[in-house]
Amino acid sequence: MCGIVGGFRRDGAVVDSLVDGLRVLEYRGYDSAGVAVVDERGLTVRRKAGRLAELEGEIKDGALNGASIGIGHTRWATHGPPTDRNAHPHTDVAGRVALVHNGIIENYLELRDELTAAGVELLSDTDTEVLAHLVGRELADAGDLAEAVRRALVRVEGYYAIAVVARGAEASMVCARHGPPLCVGVTDDAAWLGSDVLAILPHTREVIFLEDGDVAELGPGSVRIVRPDGTAAERAPKTIEWDAEDAGKGGYPHYMLKEIYEQPDVLAQTAFSRLDLDRGDVAFEGDLWDDEFLSRLERVQIAACGTALHAGLVTSYMIERLAGVPVDVDYASEFRYRDPVLVPNTLALAISQSGETADTLAALRLATALGARPATICNSIGSTMVRESESSILIEAGPEIGVASTKAFVAMVVAGYMLAVRTARARGRIDADAGRTLLEELRLVRPRLESLLADDAVERVRGIAERHHDAKGFLFLGRGINYPIALEGALKLKEISYVHAEGYPAGEMKHGPIALIEPGMSTLVVAPHDDVAEKVLSNIEQVKARGGEVICVGSDPDCLAVADEALEVPHTGSWLSPVLNVVPLQLFAYFVALKKGCDIDKPRNLAKSVTVE
Ligand code: F6R
């Protein structure tokens, strides 16, 4: 949801670094891009609708070369269509200040009216431009950019991460956050800011994650942070352990494909160092994962969005059945407005790849305010959700760049499974032997995952995807713990190939969706060899009887035998079958999108991290 970068380097070569940073952050939004630099000639802004390549064309004249200070932005439109004039950076009337923004200024209409009444002509449709004018006005008065930003933000309601530069006697770069993420890093010769640690990592591993309300003034070797009331604050840097190369494509044509292939390793990273097989238990760090809290637990309230919600649904089956604790799963955007009632001893569990999704964060905060104990399953160390949780399970999936989430999903399900086992052990529902058997299953799943990514298995999915890519529509069916996998398969397909796909509980098909079945309609059925396989078999027969074509994904031999197309998945204990069954569905979505010529890593209208409501 918009990417922000900024750099201040003594050697006067900031433009290339800004473009490199924007390239890394383009996954956050990609409908326009822009940069602003300050040098002895003043402030220069270049911005362009379209992908980053358009902006690169715009600046290749070299006119911005030599500047030491600059900010950049890649946009996901909220206010105003993606045009040149709505692209960031925006400037104030005097052309002294340039500003980039991620988030939403909720009182922008009021601020806009006030500026218009004062004779300011607004040149864009964005909520951001008012901020540039406010900072410009305060700068005329305060003389110091950080102070001007601080004063301007006092007037602002909403959520923002911003970066600002100004020309003047002492050129400077300032950034601030309230809501969306922002981190900074300094070295002796430079200072960097970014809305994702990925933009900082090529320059330094020591990263400061700003807190809500922080205003930071950056210069080579220096970072000065003030709070909204003007008092100074200290923030210790965190050391980032993984490399920037981990975020590269590594020879794959798309990030999504690379991330699908990483899943066996991700499973190992999420799980293996935490398994205590002697005790048949899981070693998590954090008070909320102790026997004391888990044995008193009365309810788990999961809130999440999109793919993370599907991981939450799978987790709910595991926790309820293994640990005997009731679990509610809500779309975070619904939870926050439904006046929820929580019982005492509730664990509020936010599940999120980014740890910054606005709805999930708001749901976590609401549940905390209602007395629940906040926790998160998350991929982003230093994210707001992790910081606001009493305990977290970091899924260690590494950077996920493809907008369609894949490896984070598998890692979340694995984390959910381990939490279910831990809770079951804490409550005495299972003994060490049973715990060990369940956890050993994780080790067995890794080679099975690998087998699904062997060349012949992948080619088989490609063939089926190519035969079905033009179907009238797609229905995805699953039962029990694999019902969320049907939802996830349908979501992946819609997201990246723009075809209509619906996920449904298989038993619910006869209550409506069966009317869709006709020749030319493809139905993907998830069919593990489990206690509901027979029921799934009848669902397959019902689809076939109406002329629909069935693609069966799973391990049940009878279901595979009657389907028109079969994608066999190795059998595993029923708890972890979702981790395997999702893989052919991810690949199916990938190959349909590829055949249709879609932009797989940057699907239209989407953004990786949804930090607005
Ligand atoms: C789907 C997808 C989205 C995210 C959702 C939540 O492929 O990526 O549905 O799962 O926006 O994002 P996080 O997990 O960052 O909270």
Side-chain angles (χ1 to χ4, degrees):
M1 199 109 311
C2 300
I4 293 178
V5 292
F8 190 154
R9 48 189 297 172
R10 286 194 211 279
D11 64 3
V14 85
V15 177
D16 290 345
S17 309
L18 293 180
V19 173
D20 289 345
L22 289 177
R23 196 168 296 119
V24 170
L25 294 190
E26 214 188 355
Y27 73 93
R28 297 181 64 90
Y30 31 80
D31 56 40
S32 56
V35 290
V37 299
V38 178
D39 58 17
E40 63 288 346
R41 289 163 294 179
L43 175 71
T44 315
V45 176
R46 295 284 172 88
R47 49 195 193 154
K48 202 74 194 140
R51 296 286 164 94
L52 183 58
E54 303 292 328
L55 176 71
E56 288 182 88
E58 199 58 15
I59 60 177
K60 69 170 184 269
D61 59 6
L64 308 187
N65 292 354
S68 300
I69 306 183
I71 53 176
H73 188 265
T74 175
R75 180 171 185 246
W76 186 85
T78 56
H79 294 70
T83 56
D84 288 357
R85 77 188 179 94
N86 286 334
H88 300 209
H90 292 280
T91 49
D92 67 328
V93 252
R96 191 174 169 200
V97 164
L99 181 146
V100 293
H101 165 222
N102 172 25
I104 288 186
I105 307 302
E106 286 169 357
N107 60 338
Y108 95 100
L109 286 175
E110 181 191 320
L111 296 169
R112 202 179 168 99
D113 289 348
E114 183 186 310
L115 289 163
T116 314
V120 174
E121 190 194 352
L122 288 134
L123 303 174
S124 76
D125 311 312
T126 65
D127 53 339
T128 304
E129 191 188 346
V130 298
L131 272 181
H133 293 295
L134 288 184
V135 174
R137 291 169 127 207
E138 295 292 349
L139 184 59
D141 193 32
D144 168 76
L145 185 60
E147 178 58 10
V149 169
R150 188 191 69 78
R151 288 191 202 171
L153 291 177
V154 170
R155 307 270 336 270
V156 166
E157 287 162 24
Y159 302 91
Y160 50 78
I162 60 169
V164 196
V165 288
R167 65 174 163 78
E170 203 164 323
S172 51
M173 178 168 79
V174 170
C175 60
R177 92 165 266 205
H178 177 71
L182 199 59
C183 46
V184 303
V186 292
T187 59
D188 289 346
D189 297 320
W192 306 99
L193 66 89
S195 38
D196 188 317
V197 75
L198 287 173
I200 312 269
L201 219 44
H203 312 293
T204 174
R205 285 173 180 279
E206 301 297 310
V207 177
I208 296 173
F209 293 89
L210 295 185
E211 308 247 326
D212 278 354
D214 284 354
V215 175
E217 184 183 54
L218 305 176
S222 81
V223 49
R224 183 175 69 88
I225 297 175
V226 290
R227 300 291 300 156
D229 63 2
T231 54
E234 294 290 327
R235 304 268 173 253
K238 281 194 160 57
T239 306
I240 304 298
E241 304 290 352
W242 40 268
D243 287 318
E245 293 83 70
D246 291 345
K249 275 193 208 153
Y252 288 90
H254 297 97
Y255 284 110
M256 181 181 176
L257 192 62
K258 174 190 173 227
E259 289 159 5
I260 289 173
Y261 273 88
E262 281 173 356
Q263 292 178 122
D265 289 342
V266 164
L267 171 125
Q269 270 162 236
T270 309
F272 291 177
S273 66
R274 289 157 160 160
L275 303 182
D276 181 347
L277 291 178
D278 289 341
R279 292 175 46 248
D281 208 337
V282 179
F284 282 138
E285 275 174 37
D287 293 349
L288 297 186
W289 317 132
D290 285 356
D291 286 358
E292 201 213 326
F293 178 69
L294 291 178
S295 57
R296 284 187 292 115
L297 192 60
E298 284 180 45
R299 202 164 199 96
V300 178
Q301 172 65 61
I302 294 176
C305 303
T307 288
L309 179 104
H310 300 155
L313 286 169
V314 176
T315 300
S316 72
Y317 286 86
M318 296 165 166
I319 295 180
E320 285 202 337
R321 287 216 223 146
L322 281 172
V325 181
V327 185
D328 290 317
V329 186
D330 276 58
Y331 289 105
S333 53
E334 289 295 317
F335 179 81
R336 59 186 295 195
Y337 294 114
R338 75 163 166 84
D339 292 332
V341 178
L342 299 184
V343 295
N345 298 322
T346 291
L347 176 76
L349 183 61
I351 305 185
S352 176
Q353 190 284 128
S354 62
E356 303 291 349
T357 302
D359 283 319
T360 310
L361 186 57
L364 183 67
R365 286 176 176 161
L366 174 63
T368 311
L370 292 171
R373 307 284 296 272
T376 182
I377 292 179
C378 189
N379 195 30
S380 307
I381 180 179
S383 65
T384 312
M385 279 180 225
V386 169
R387 283 188 282 121
E388 295 196 9
S389 292
E390 280 183 55
S391 300
S392 297
I393 301 174
L394 287 167
I395 59 176
E396 318 274 0
E400 189 181 63
I401 308 294
V403 165
S405 181
T406 52
K407 63 175 179 172
F409 174 78
V410 161
M412 286 166 183
V413 170
V414 167
Y417 179 65
M418 290 194 294
L419 178 57
V421 173
R422 173 77 279 274
T423 310
R425 291 284 288 121
R427 299 169 78 83
R429 294 265 303 193
I430 54 172
D431 62 15
D433 284 345
R436 189 175 311 114
T437 307
L438 287 165
L439 295 174
E440 273 168 351
E441 191 72 20
L442 279 166
R443 293 203 175 266
L444 301 177
V445 163
R446 187 187 191 184
R448 293 174 188 153
L449 261 179
E450 274 165 355
S451 74
L452 291 169
L453 296 165
D455 288 352
D456 55 339
V458 173
E459 280 311 306
R460 193 162 169 71
V461 183
R462 182 204 291 268
I464 294 177
E466 290 183 353
R467 283 196 289 283
H468 288 257
H469 79 282
D470 257 343
K472 283 180 192 157
F474 293 86
L475 187 60
F476 286 72
L477 301 175
R479 276 180 180 261
I481 200 167
N482 280 285
Y483 153 55
I485 299 306
L487 297 179
E488 177 60 8
L491 179 65
K492 286 288 90 82
L493 187 60
K494 318 186 233 231
E495 276 183 296
I496 60 168
S497 65
Y498 320 142
V499 296
H500 185 69
E502 277 199 66
Y504 245 82
E508 188 66 15
M509 180 182 65
K510 55 190 171 298
H511 299 289
I514 199 165
L516 294 169
I517 307 292
E518 59 175 332
M521 169 93 181
S522 299
T523 301
L524 287 97
V525 181
V526 186
H529 186 52
D530 62 10
D531 52 351
V532 285
E534 245 177 64
K535 314 258 176 227
V536 176
L537 182 61
S538 345
N539 297 132
I540 294 177
E541 300 287 11
Q542 288 157 7
V543 174
K544 287 189 57 130
R546 285 155 185 86
E549 281 197 69
V550 175
I551 303 162
C552 181
V553 176
S555 57
D556 186 72
D558 296 336
C559 292
L560 289 164
V562 296
D564 299 289
E565 312 259 22
L567 287 169
E568 190 171 349
V569 170
H571 182 64
T572 193
S574 45
W575 301 110
L576 289 172
S577 66
V579 165
L580 298 178
N581 290 330
V582 77
V583 176
L585 299 185
Q586 294 167 339
L587 288 167
F588 182 80
Y590 175 82
F591 286 121
V592 170
L594 195 65
K595 181 80 181 162
K596 287 181 167 291
C598 300
D599 190 346
I600 290 176
D601 283 333
K602 298 193 187 75
R604 70 185 182 203
N605 306 337
L606 294 176
K608 183 71 184 159
S609 176
V610 186
T611 51
V612 295
E613 215 186 319

